[in-house]
Amino acid sequence: MRASKRNVGWKLLLGAGALALLLAGCAPQAPSGDAPSGAGQTAAPPAASQPAESEAAPAQTLSGEEAVAQLVGSIQYTEGQIAFTIPENGPEGEDWNILVYGTTQMGNGGMSVHLFEEENMEGSWQPGETYTIPLEGLYRALGMDVALWSQPDAAQTVDLLDLAGQPTAAPIDEEDGKAAQMTNRVTVDFPAYPPQEGQIAPEAPAFTASFLLPEGWQVKQPEGESALPTPDLFTPMDLYDDKGQLAGSIGYGVYEEAEEGQEPPAEEYYKVVYAYLRNSRVCRWDPYTRVKRTAQSENGVAQVHFVSEEGYDQAEDMAALPEHTAPGVLGYDREMRVFVGIRFVEGVALTEPQVETVAQSLTLAQA
């Protein structure tokens, strides 16, 4: 596992021994005809004679579904480790959205971990390269979500321990297991429903938002107003955890490009997209940290600052109201000029790496 270069203030509290093993083991390997002989080693590709230029067959480009299927088909367990290879004739590295996540075995408990975060954040997956994960009893659960940013429907989820035929290192109790498994991919259509009487929703192209949630969580259309109202987000859908408790909501918005001559630097483009959210008096999404960016989209995590609904309905002095905070996830698509915001409830039972997984897995696609 490589440590992420992002400064989001989130740390995995792994024991020194487990962390050292993980850091040493999750490394890319050059493709080889033989199985890797040890964690973190780079195998030299076998020598091969080059065909004459006139004899060389043209490279074939795989479709999105074919590329995802080929990557999943390359996953194999050998000598105590899992290996997978990025297809050579598939999409460029920046188009891959590969999440590898699990729970480590630490005594009687476990800790959520995310592998290859740097490769996924920077889009630096290398076609033809093989990546390995040593198992060695380190994991109680280990999964992989393989998708493409350009083709969100071309996605597969794999239980790596099950594929390897390896039992978990220790029984996982129900609560710990559900909290660790971010394998529940849900899809929401936007606009989700017609505006209610007296409400006005901005015109937007029909699109879908797809993202990962913990096992057992559900997305439901509210009866009337959302149970977790979020200003400046439209047709919100409510999120409920595996116990049936309100856990958050997701809604959409639209935006306009900055006027000519006032365009911000690329690193600050999000300020144009989320201008209303970042400056709201009652529900402010700031600070914001990017976790994934492509040519036309970007996802990030944010801290949501808000006052209670009862407070801002009646207050004369907004600044005097007590402020609450909760985690949030944002994502936009520049081609459609739309964005979504996922606001969780205060004190939600999600770890910070799990919230980041939601952000990394979020894809927007025109319906």
Side-chain angles (χ1 to χ4, degrees):
M1 178 176 63
R2 295 182 183 177
S4 171
K5 293 182 180 179
R6 282 165 284 143
N7 182 17
V8 295
W10 297 351
K11 299 180 180 178
L12 300 178
L13 303 179
L14 296 173
L19 180 58
L21 286 170
L22 290 171
L23 289 172
C26 299
Q29 292 188 342
S32 171
D34 299 323
S37 60
Q41 296 181 351
T42 301
S49 59
Q50 297 298 321
E53 184 176 347
S54 59
E55 300 175 357
Q60 296 182 357
T61 302
L62 301 172
S63 69
E65 291 184 355
E66 290 171 339
V68 170
Q70 183 168 313
L71 188 152
V72 171
S74 76
I75 301 172
Q76 57 181 310
Y77 171 75
T78 309
E79 297 184 7
Q81 64 183 9
I82 286 281
F84 63 94
T85 302
I86 308 299
E88 288 191 80
N89 297 332
E92 296 296 325
E94 64 181 13
D95 196 18
W96 288 100
N97 184 24
I98 304 172
L99 306 179
V100 183
Y101 47 87
T103 307
T104 60
Q105 169 61 30
M106 298 181 66
N108 294 325
M111 178 63 65
S112 176
V113 294
H114 297 261
L115 312 182
F116 304 109
E117 286 188 294
E118 182 176 314
E119 287 86 347
N120 209 50
M121 180 190 71
E122 298 181 351
S124 60
W125 299 104
Q126 297 298 312
E129 193 162 308
T130 296
Y131 298 79
T132 62
I133 308 168
L135 299 183
E136 302 176 354
L138 292 175
Y139 299 100
R140 300 172 65 167
L142 190 64
M144 172 187 281
D145 194 67
V146 184
L148 298 172
W149 291 98
S150 62
Q151 302 177 57
D153 292 338
Q156 292 192 39
T157 297
V158 181
D159 184 329
L160 293 176
L161 292 186
D162 182 64
L163 184 146
Q166 297 296 295
T168 56
I172 301 176
D173 61 66
E174 183 178 358
E175 183 176 353
D176 184 36
K178 286 182 177 178
Q181 297 178 30
M182 299 286 290
T183 57
N184 177 23
R185 178 166 286 278
V186 299
T187 300
V188 181
D189 297 324
F190 285 113
Y193 45 83
Q196 298 179 10
E197 185 177 354
Q199 295 180 336
I200 299 176
E203 292 186 8
F207 71 98
T208 61
S210 177
F211 52 99
L212 290 176
L213 288 174
E215 285 299 313
W217 284 43
Q218 297 182 0
V219 181
K220 298 181 180 180
Q221 181 174 331
E223 298 180 3
E225 294 187 359
S226 170
L228 189 66
T230 303
D232 302 312
L233 292 177
F234 300 92
T235 64
M237 299 285 282
D238 292 334
L239 311 180
Y240 288 86
D241 65 18
D242 59 298
K243 299 179 178 62
Q245 301 296 314
L246 179 68
S249 69
I250 176 174
Y252 84 93
V254 300
Y255 70 96
E256 296 181 359
E257 291 283 8
E259 295 182 5
E260 186 176 354
Q262 298 183 14
E263 299 89 346
E267 296 296 312
E268 297 184 357
Y269 182 76
Y270 73 91
K271 294 182 179 180
V272 172
V273 179
Y274 308 123
Y276 291 107
L277 298 184
R278 297 181 66 250
N279 296 294
S280 173
R281 297 177 62 198
V282 296
C283 192
R284 176 171 51 88
W285 299 59
D286 191 63
Y288 168 86
T289 303
R290 177 186 305 107
V291 301
K292 176 67 181 183
R293 182 171 62 188
T294 68
Q296 71 176 43
S297 66
E298 180 176 295
N299 298 344
V301 295
Q303 194 74 16
V304 185
H305 305 264
F306 61 96
V307 295
S308 67
E309 184 179 6
E310 296 80 7
Y312 67 71
D313 277 347
Q314 304 172 10
E316 295 181 3
D317 182 7
M318 296 292 295
L321 294 174
E323 188 174 77
H324 303 267
T325 60
V329 169
L330 293 167
Y332 70 77
D333 184 281
R334 192 163 185 171
E335 183 175 330
M336 295 186 289
R337 301 287 194 275
V338 298
F339 64 86
V340 297
I342 303 174
R343 171 189 171 187
F344 294 102
V345 300
E346 185 177 23
V348 65
L350 288 177
T351 64
E352 290 172 332
Q354 285 175 314
V355 174
E356 185 175 333
T357 294
V358 176
Q360 289 178 329
S361 70
L362 176 64
T363 59
L364 306 183
Q366 192 161 356

